[in-house]
Amino acid sequence: MKAAPFEYFRATSLDDAIEALAGTPDARVLAGGQSLVPLLNLRQARPSLVVDINRVGGLSFLREENGRLEIGALTRHRAVETSGVVRSAVPLLAEALGFVGHVAIRNRGTIGGSLAHADPAAELPAVMVALDAEFALHGPEGERVVAARDFFLGPYRTALGPGELLTRISVPRHQGGWAVEELSRRSRDLALVAVFTTVTMSGGACETARIAVAGAGPTPIRATAAEESLAGGPLTDDAIALAADLVAAATDPPGDLHAPADYRREMAAVLTRRAIARAKEGA
Ligand SMILES: Cc1cc2nc3c(=O)[nH]c(=O)nc-3n(C[C@H](O)[C@H](O)[C@H](O)COP(=O)(O)OP(=O)(O)OC[C@H]3O[C@@H](n4cnc5c(N)ncnc54)[C@H](O)[C@@H]3O)c2cc1C
């Protein structure tokens, strides 16, 4: 199938892009095109205008500043995955990116595109929720900053308002151990369930644990009850098993032809046990 007809506008500045988006309510942004182009070709998206942001300057960068990793929304997955700065400041992000499609997709796909697309089974939204990232959004009213936890509103729905663009992602540096555990039908498919975690230890006890799950609800799930159950005590097998049960209880997985809901919930617990055990080793 071919895309339905649409107007194409190649923006060369942020203001141009925002003006074009604000003037056409059903306009869509084109970044890497790895999700939008299939949606256009399947006619699941039929915008009257596509605003290409690939020539907008200042949206592709990667730097560490004041203990945070700052990432331009147009930065390609592969640039982030292979960056030494990212591997040292936020290694969970680099590891998670290795699970996003294949290298050809990561060469084109952008960090901002993955987040704005908000697929509940995608890795990056859950990673950003686990890491307490913040997103800068630019629109006709200027800039606002939204916490990753408040950005994802439902499957393919975000806090982006009319005429707004996601421009920058800010991720605090993390210390200690981390792990990604993902279950998918084929290598590098979207996750049936994936768990992302970081752990810091102090004097044999867990200081902090952060756990987020993809593929187990309409948005990424931050498992705060499980995190609280781990903090302050040793990471024994029993403590990890209790946390895994709490993660499963926090999920609200879909059942579909790929996997029933009960299976995803059970796998969320299994993957959490593995992820916490691995993160503890690295902490
Ligand atoms: C074969 C295949 C396998 C894949 N496997 C995975 C996988 O395992 N895991 C995974 O997470 N993804 C996977 N993807 C999706 C891929 O990661 C996409 O790159 C990503 O979802 C979108 O990034 P993009 O830059 O290509 O965005 P685009 O496709 O250009 O845009 C996606 C959506 O976001 C909007 N958008 C883009 N940028 C912005 C912005 N800066 N501000 C506001 N809105 C914006 C667009 O309007 C559109 O609605 C796969 C894709 C393919 C084709």
Side-chain angles (χ1 to χ4, degrees), residues 21 27-39 53 59 73-74 76-77 99-102 105-106 108-119 121-125 160 164-167 182 188-191:
L21 289 168
R28 295 289 281 265
V29 175
L30 174 68
Q34 299 303 299
S35 293
L36 182 63
V37 172
L39 287 176
I53 59 169
L59 288 182
L74 203 54
R76 310 287 161 182
H77 294 151
F99 287 84
V100 177
H102 298 275
I105 289 150
R106 301 199 294 272
R108 287 300 304 165
T110 66
I111 302 297
S114 272
L115 298 173
H117 187 53
D119 186 327
E123 289 83 3
L124 285 189
L160 279 163
E164 274 189 325
L165 270 172
L166 171 57
T167 50
E182 175 164 316
R188 297 333 184 224
D189 271 2
L190 280 159

Side-chain angles (χ1 to χ4, degrees), residues 17 19 40 49 53 58 63 105 136 160 167 188 190 193 200 206 208 210 212 275:
E19 195 182 324
L40 292 174
L49 173 69
I53 59 169
R63 52 177 180 260
I105 289 150
L160 279 163
T167 50
R188 297 333 184 224
L190 280 159
V193 186
T200 57
C206 171
T208 61
R210 294 189 290 184

